[in-house]
Amino acid sequence: MGNVNEVNDSTFQAEVLEATEPVLVDFWAPWCGPCRAIAPMIDELVSENAGSVKIVKVNVDESPATAGQYQIHSIPTPTVFKARHMVAMLQGVQHTQGVQYVLDQAQG
């Protein structure tokens, strides 16, 4: 999906929890229509936040341990992590401005 790297159960800790910058994790699945609908917005956020925020996707079907650990019960669920902790969880289709606001807060 676009310019966003995919992480999974085995790479989540290194790619997300150990990242030095805030990380937006898009919990999604390929069969999810709303997930596909927000993909262009996620790609736009990648471009707008290059160098300051890391943005990745986690396929909940392929990474059930990670999805379960963070209690992802519906998708899409854009989630922000900073310094090993989840700092924000948004559920459902979001507007770019709302997600960007959350990312700005995580950087501040």
Side-chain angles (χ1 to χ4, degrees):
M1 296 202 103
N3 304 319
V4 183
N5 290 331
E6 182 114 9
V7 300
N8 56 43
D9 286 343
S10 63
T11 60
F12 189 85
Q13 177 156 342
E15 295 293 325
V16 176
L17 299 180
E18 296 175 4
T20 57
E21 67 272 72
V23 183
L24 173 65
V25 178
D26 178 20
F27 286 97
W28 76 291
W31 49 263
C32 169
C35 298
R36 291 192 308 272
I38 70 165
M41 181 264 297
I42 298 294
D43 287 339
E44 180 181 335
L45 290 169
V46 170
S47 298
E48 291 178 6
N49 293 281
S52 60
V53 174
K54 186 175 192 177
I55 299 176
V56 301
K57 289 184 169 286
V58 172
N59 181 328
V60 297
D61 292 336
E62 295 176 357
S63 300
T66 301
Q69 179 178 357
Y70 293 101
Q71 300 179 8
I72 305 302
H73 299 296
S74 64
I75 51 175
T77 303
T79 306
V80 179
F81 290 81
K82 181 179 180 181
R84 298 185 162 272
H85 299 284
M86 181 186 345
V87 296
M89 177 186 283
L90 308 167
Q91 292 184 327
V93 174
Q94 302 292 317
H95 294 285
T96 306
Q97 297 86 351
V99 178
Q100 185 62 57
Y101 176 80
V102 171
L103 291 174
D104 292 345
Q105 295 299 306
Q107 293 177 66

